[in-house]
Amino acid sequence: MTDAVLSLRGVGKDYGKRTAVGTIDLEVRRGEIFGLLGPNGAGKTTTISIACGVIAPTRGTVEIGGIALATAPRQAKQKLGLVPQDLAIYEELSATQNLRYFGALYGLRGAVLAERIAWALGAVGLAERAAEPVKQYSGGMKRRCNLAAGLLHRPELVILDEPTVGVDPQSRNHIFDTIRALRRDHGMTVVYVSHYMEEVEALCDRVAIVDRGAIVALGTIEELVAAHAGKGFELELAGDAAAARAAATAHGAVSGDGAVLRLVPTGALAPAIAAIEATGARITSLTSRGTNLEAAFLALTGHALRDGGP
Amino acid sequence: MIVAAIRKDVWLLLRDRGALISLFALPIVFILAFGSMFKFGDGDHQPRVIPISYPAGSELGRKIQRAIDGTLGVAASYVPSDAEVRARVVSEAALAGIIVPADFDPAHGRRIELVLDLAGPIQIRGPLEGVLTGAVMRALAPVDLGALPAMVDVRSPPGLAQPLPEASGFQISVPGNAVLFGFFIALTTAMSFVGERRTGTWRRLLAAPVSRSAALLATLVPYYLVGLAQLGFLFGIGAGLFGMRVAGSLPALVVLSMCVSLCAVSLGLLFAAIATTEKQLGGVGSVMLLVMGLVGGCMFPRVAMPAFMKSIGLAVPHGWALDGYFDILVRQGTTIADVLPNIGALLAFAVGFLVIGLWRFRFDA
Ligand SMILES: Nc1ncnc2c1ncn2[C@@H]1O[C@H](COP(=O)(O)OP(=O)(O)O)[C@@H](O)[C@H]1O
Ligand SMILES: [Mg+2]
C-alpha cells in the first residue's frame, strides 16, 4: 500500500471459456525496475493491457499511483506510459510527426511538447534522423522510436512490452541504457516485460515469473535463485525411459523428453532414484542444474523458457 | 512447380471471400442490374406507356395514338383529361405524355404538348423526345414540314421545377460520381480503424488519457473533414472546369454534402466494426459500395429504372443523396426546404450506421 506505483488485485481475463490470465496480484514499488518474465502466451501482454486500461479485466482491480483505474481512468492513465509490444507508430510519418501526435494525446502542446519531443528523441538517440519517415529506419531505430512515444509526458510508471524484439545488440544496449537513465534521472518506475531471461537478469530489481496466466514466483533475482534453483537435477537414462518417467512423477516435478529426465524432487533425491532404478532403467549421468534464474524458472514451471527465442 | 503454385493460389483465393465476391459475384450483380435498367420497357417486351389526351372524337388524336402504338418501345394509353396526363408525369407514373388541344392550330401557337420533366436526365429525355415527336409528325403527314410552324411544344408539367437552360451532361455526371466516390471515404475510414488496431497505435490511444468516444472521434472527425474536402473539390472542379452550375441554393448544396460525408464516415465505423482485416475491407467493402452506388443511381439514372430497381435505390443513402443533388443542381429555385426529405433520410442512415457500428465495435480486439 505504502509506495506502490502499480497494484493489481485479483486481476484476470477470460476469452469465452478460455482463461488467458487466471488471478494475478502484484505490487510494483516506486523507483524499481520490475520484470515480468514468461514464455510466449503466458499472459504477460494481457496482464499489462489490463494494467493500462487497454482491455477490460474479467475480474480484479487496478490502481496506478494510488488512483483506481476503473473509477478515474483519465487521471490514472496520465501517470502511465505504455510501450506496446507491436511497433505502434505510423511508418509513413517521421519520428517527430509521430511524437507530436502521441504527445498531444497526453495534453502536451506548444513549447512544452517541442521540448519533450527533443528530450525523448535525444534520450533514445534518434535526434539526428527525426525528420525521416519511420519506415526508413532499421528495426532497432523503430523500436527506439516506439519507446520514445511512451515517454513524452514523463510518466511515473513506464510499461515496456518486449521492447527489444527484433533488435540488434547495439540498439538493445541503447534501450537498456535509456531505461536505466529514466529511473536515475527522472525517478520513473519501470515494468519490463520479456521472454528473455538474460535481459531480465541484467536489468531488473525484482521479477515476477508468469506461466500459463499465473504468477508462479515473485522476488529479487537472488531470492528466486536461492529459493528455487539448485534443487533441480538432470538425469540421463538408459532402458525404459518412459517407465522411469512415470515412476519419478510420484517424487516431484518431471520434465524433459527422450533419454533426458529433469526432476525437481518434492523431498529428498534418494527415494526418487530408488524408484527410477526399480523400473529397470539405468541412470547413466546425474547433474545438478546450476544456480541461476534459468534453473529457478525450470524448477518452477517444469519447462524451459525458450521456445525458439532470438 | 507451376501446378503447386496454382494449387496454393486457388486455396488462398477460396479462403478470401472478398476476392471471390468481386471476381465472380460482382459481375453477375452488374450484369443483372444494368441489363434490367437498359431494357426500355418495364417488363418483358413491355413498352413504356405514354398517356395521351385529346377531345372525344378527335381524328388527329387517334392518329397520334396509333402512330405511338406503332413505334417500338412505347405504347399510348388514352386518358380523359389533360390534367391526368400531367399528373402521371409529375408522379413519375409515366416518363412522358401527349396532350392534343381541341383547337389544334400550329399557325397560331396552339400546338400539341409533349409533357415531360425537362430536368430529367438527358439520356432518357433525349430519345423519348425524339421518338414521340417523330410519332406526332408521322400522324400529321403528309405535310410540308419545312413550310409549317412547329407542331409540338415540349414542356415540364406544373409541379416540376424548371431546369436550368442548357444543362450540360456534367450536371449529372458530377453529382453521380461525387456520391459514388464520396461514399468511398467509408472504406478509408474503416481501413484506418483496422490498420490502427493491427499496428498497435490503437492500443496506444486506449492507454492514453482519452475517453473511448474521443478515441473514436479522433478517427471519425478527420475523415469527415476529408470527405467534405473531397466533395468540395469535386463540385469545385465540376463548376470551375466543366461548367457545372448550381440551379438551386448553394447553402442547400453545402448542407446536403455535410450529410453525405457524415453518412459515409458512419458507414465507415460500421465497416470497421464488422471487418477484421484490411484485405476483407478492400474486397467486400469496395464491392458493397459499388453496388450501393449502382442501385442508388450513380452510374445510371434511377428515373429510368424499372419500378422495382427504382424503389431499392431508396434503400441505400446514395439514392437519397443523388436525388437531392439533382434537384439542387438542375432545378431552379431549389432550397434547403426542398431537399429536407433527402437530408432527413441521410441523417437517419447515419444514425442507423452509428448505432449498429457502436454496438458491434470491439475496442480491445
Ligand atoms: N483477443 C484474444 N482472444 C482470445 N485469446 C487471446 C486474446 N488475446 C490473447 N489471447 C490468449 O491469451 C493468452 C495470453 O496471451 P498474451 O497475453 O499475449 O501472452 P504473452 O504476452 O505472455 O505472450 C494466449 O494463449 C493467447 O492466445
Ligand atoms: Mg506478449
Side-chain angles (χ1 to χ4, degrees), chain A residues 49 74 77-78 88 90 146, chain B residues 196 199-200 203-204 206 209 364:
Chain A
S49 296
R74 310 271 289 270
K77 286 175 176 180
Q78 189 71 40
Y90 300 99
N146 197 39
Chain B
E196 299 237 13
T199 58
R203 230 161 227 284
R204 236 190 234 291
L206 291 183
D364 52 9

Side-chain angles (χ1 to χ4, degrees), chain A residues 49 54-56 74 77-78 82 84 86-90 101-102 105-106 146 149-150, chain B residues 196-212 218 363-365:
Chain A
S49 296
V54 168
I55 63 176
R74 310 271 289 270
K77 286 175 176 180
Q78 189 71 40
L82 170 66
D86 318 293
L87 282 170
I89 40 183
Y90 300 99
Y101 169 67
F102 291 120
L105 294 182
Y106 289 87
N146 197 39
Chain B
E196 299 237 13
R197 251 189 244 144
R198 177 178 50 77
T199 58
T201 46
W202 185 247
R203 230 161 227 284
R204 236 190 234 291
L205 188 57
L206 291 183
V210 293
S211 62
R212 293 194 158 191
F363 277 89
D364 52 9

Side-chain angles (χ1 to χ4, degrees), chain B residues 115-138:
Chain B
V115 186
L116 51 73
D117 182 3
L118 288 169
I122 184 75
Q123 306 96 298
I124 307 307
R125 184 161 47 85
L128 256 182
E129 214 179 299
V131 160
L132 293 177
T133 311
V136 170
M137 289 309 184
R138 265 183 281 126

Side-chain angles (χ1 to χ4, degrees), chain A residues 40-41 44-46 85 161-162 193:
Chain A
N40 282 329
K44 306 182 296 297
T45 298
T46 306
Q85 179 173 355
D161 194 357
E162 314 254 10
V193 178

